[in-house]
Amino acid sequence: MRSVHVGIGPVTLSDVVAVGRDGAAVELTEEALVGIARARRVIEDLAAAPTPSYGVSTGFGALATRHIPPERRRDLQRSLVRSHAAGSGPEVEREVVRAMMLLRLSTLATGRTGVRPETAQLLADLLTHGITPVVHEYGSLGCSGDLSPLAHCALALLGEGEVRDSAGVLRPAADALAAAGLAPVELAEKEGLALINGTDGMLGMLLLALHDLRMLLRTADVTTAMSVEAQLGTDRVFAEELQALRPHPGQAASAANLRVLLADSGVVASHRGPDCNRVQDAYSLRCAPQVHGAARDTVEHAAGVAGRELASAIDNPVVLLAADGSGRVESNGNFHGAPVGYVLDFLAIAVADVASMAERRTDRFLDRTRSHGLPPFLADDPGVDSGLMIAQYTQAGIVSELKRLAVPASVDSIPSSAMQEDHVSMGWAAGRKLRRAVDGLTRVLAIEAMAAARAVELRGTLGSTRGVSPSPAAGAVVRLLHEAGVAGPGPDRRLSPEIEACVELVRTGAVLAAAESVVGELG
């Protein structure tokens, strides 16, 4: 099993995917443990001082003016976690919870939060043993960070609440800890606040989405190339000299992919030449690099924001350390989720647009007036058979949903905590809807792949393209779909299992890998 080392520096996107999705173990570095202990000494000095210090010897939020006596401070931390574990609704996905836990641990490891080393170590141990707290869909306003989701994670450190063990079985946290040989902690001053006051949930969802979208946008180039080929479109519009006239980096990369994917296509070659008048393909074909490229550039902008957030130490208050080892605690507003919330919403817009264009390409296959000789609905016996008619309905329904999901969450704010928290980010909600949007894009591309593959096969039996070979990339994807049980042209059959098979091939990157196996790695 891979082990991810968490030190005083940021973890990477690949670390988050490895721990969140692949179940990698987690180890705190010695440097991190030393830094954690150093910050803890600052907290202990402040706790012993007669002057109240926010988060250490006071209440929180609107209750920050109350000084808490030493004998009640452990009660304060425990009460904070218990009361903030107020989520409702369905369970959040395991990969999101694990990503959130890793990111919170990474902030603890910076030595800016003041937790004890044993508390941070137990969080790492939960990840290594595959113990995943139950976190609920609703509860976070994205300010002060993802309070409720993180509180459900912190509750497990106390041996309270419910968790999923490494086998996915729902168990009381105390039982799961005991089975793993772990003991719960009793939180000391500042620790409860340090465990829950961060943007780790929304950031975790952003990082997982970035990982998926980088693959899906290359997959969109693959399905687009198949559609251009099967609809007898031209590849001339993707020429490098044309793309260079508008030098957006994403557009250049997408067009380069399309040139590679369409190379050596017998179908494209069959109508390429001086008499070819196919220079005005529909926008869904001709403008694919412009839309896919804009989406790629949006992803990279979001990745820049994510990189800065990964390098952040987000807590309130934070421990500021001097070179001589002394330190102080200062309140701040770094927990506000606006930077992450904005790009989560921005990505949902790009996802909806890429999917909308893919659905339009699919629809062209089904309309005999626009498909250049393909049978209506790609049906075997049109009238008796409906072909892929309703598969496009499924696509259209998803695209409509994606447009609703593209409405930004981050423009909303509902005041909370007796108006102390009078402006919030809704970043968690933006992350939740982006996850649904990424799933929708996956399904839309899967249906385009199914339609394009069927059309590619039909081209080999029709008119001027009879017996002409498709591009190597399209051929590889067609073979992959057949191997997965997605049959080619023929009489009607139940489509749902074939659609789901295509969805899995797109989701896992198998469609992309099939194309890349013959053309090399796409940009």
Side-chain angles (χ1 to χ4, degrees):
M1 177 188 294
R2 175 183 170 185
S3 184
V4 169
H5 291 78
V6 178
I8 61 173
V11 294
T12 66
L13 187 154
S14 62
D15 291 335
V16 173
V17 173
V19 172
R21 186 165 290 171
D22 302 331
V26 174
E27 296 181 31
L28 282 165
T29 66
E30 186 61 32
E31 184 181 27
L33 290 168
V34 169
I36 291 170
R38 182 185 178 195
R40 183 63 202 173
R41 289 193 290 272
V42 173
I43 296 300
E44 290 172 350
D45 289 343
L46 289 171
T51 304
S53 179
Y54 174 68
V56 177
S57 53
T58 71
F60 310 113
L63 304 177
T65 56
R66 179 179 175 184
H67 180 257
I68 309 299
E71 66 272 13
R72 297 300 311 277
R73 290 176 189 168
R74 290 185 178 247
D75 294 337
L76 168 67
Q77 301 302 316
R78 185 170 55 249
S79 294
L80 176 72
V81 171
R82 285 174 173 171
S83 65
H84 283 52
S88 181
E91 287 185 40
V92 171
E93 304 84 0
R94 178 178 184 269
E95 65 177 31
V96 172
V97 178
R98 285 181 59 84
M100 178 166 55
M101 293 165 69
L102 174 67
L103 292 168
R104 183 77 312 218
L105 179 64
S106 182
T107 285
L108 301 183
T110 64
R112 298 291 185 177
T113 69
V115 299
R116 293 171 299 163
E118 56 264 39
T119 301
Q121 183 60 57
L122 181 57
L123 185 54
D125 290 341
L126 289 186
L127 288 166
T128 295
H129 286 276
I131 298 172
T132 306
V134 172
V135 174
H136 298 281
E137 179 89 21
Y138 303 107
S140 175
L141 300 181
C143 190
S144 303
D146 294 314
L147 289 173
S148 179
L150 285 165
H152 281 277
C153 295
L155 197 65
L157 301 180
L158 309 182
E160 299 182 16
E162 292 183 315
V163 301
R164 298 277 179 183
D165 64 18
S166 58
V169 177
L170 186 66
R171 305 179 66 178
D175 293 350
L177 264 62
L182 303 173
V185 296
E186 184 179 2
L187 298 179
E189 293 93 344
K190 176 65 173 65
E191 289 193 300
L193 201 56
L195 288 169
I196 68 173
N197 208 333
T199 58
D200 310 288
M202 64 184 90
L203 177 58
M205 289 187 281
L206 173 60
L207 292 165
L208 291 167
L210 290 172
H211 174 80
D212 292 339
L213 286 173
R214 283 173 168 160
M215 180 273 292
L216 288 173
L217 289 175
R218 287 185 291 157
T219 304
D221 288 340
V222 173
T223 60
T224 298
M226 294 174 67
S227 290
V228 169
E229 184 173 9
Q231 293 178 32
L232 302 184
T234 180
D235 60 351
R236 291 166 58 185
V237 294
F238 307 135
E240 186 173 5
E241 62 184 338
L242 291 174
Q243 303 301 317
L245 297 175
R246 196 185 195 191
H248 292 287
Q251 176 179 328
S254 178
N257 285 346
L258 290 168
R259 291 194 299 272
V260 169
L261 290 161
L262 290 167
D264 301 320
S265 166
V267 176
V268 173
S270 71
H271 61 92
R272 183 195 290 129
D275 59 340
C276 176
N277 62 359
R278 299 300 305 283
V279 294
Q280 287 288 298
D281 287 329
Y283 288 5
S284 60
L285 303 175
R286 193 183 352 152
C287 301
Q290 287 75 16
V291 173
H292 294 183
R296 284 165 171 264
D297 292 343
T298 302
V299 165
E300 294 316 309
H301 167 65
V305 173
R308 292 187 286 275
E309 197 76 359
L310 282 169
S312 304
I314 294 179
D315 192 12
N316 182 47
V318 291
V319 178
L320 298 178
L321 298 166
D324 63 1
S326 63
R328 69 186 194 278
V329 168
E330 293 285 354
S331 183
N332 67 92
N334 286 337
F335 49 74
H336 198 288
V340 181
Y342 290 169
V343 293
L344 286 164
D345 281 334
F346 196 1
L347 288 172
I349 293 171
V351 165
D353 204 34
V354 171
S356 179
M357 182 174 256
E359 182 274 329
R360 289 292 80 203
R361 289 190 297 267
T362 302
D363 182 67
R364 297 187 72 81
F365 280 124
L366 308 184
D367 182 354
R368 67 182 305 173
T369 66
R370 294 179 291 146
S371 67
H372 304 286
L374 292 169
F377 302 104
L378 304 181
D380 185 63
D381 184 3
V384 174
D385 293 318
S386 296
L388 298 187
M389 179 192 294
I390 307 303
Q392 183 268 331
Y393 285 31
T394 300
Q395 247 191 345
I398 295 169
V399 168
S400 181
E401 167 107 352
L402 292 177
K403 293 173 184 177
R404 295 190 293 273
L405 292 170
V407 176
S410 57
V411 298
D412 189 29
S413 177
I414 297 180
S416 56
S417 192
M419 292 298 287
Q420 177 75 3
E421 298 170 11
D422 59 351
H423 184 276
V424 296
S425 78
M426 299 297 179
W428 171 269
R432 297 308 298 162
K433 69 185 184 65
L434 178 59
R435 283 184 65 80
R436 187 169 179 85
V438 170
D439 176 71
L441 175 60
T442 303
R443 296 176 185 280
V444 168
L445 293 178
I447 292 172
E448 182 183 16
M450 171 189 283
R454 182 180 287 204
V456 163
E457 290 193 82
L458 286 169
R459 284 294 177 202
T461 66
L462 296 172
S464 63
T465 56
R466 180 186 295 273
V468 176
S469 298
S471 67
V477 174
V478 169
R479 288 191 297 274
L480 172 70
L481 266 57
H482 286 335
E483 292 166 2
V486 181
D492 280 356
R493 53 193 179 265
R494 189 162 67 100
L495 285 178
S496 183
E498 295 190 15
I499 290 173
E500 292 307 306
C502 286
V503 169
E504 191 63 17
L505 293 174
V506 170
R507 191 191 313 282
T508 60
V511 166
L512 176 62
E516 289 184 330
S517 70
V518 293
V519 301
E521 186 173 353
L522 297 177

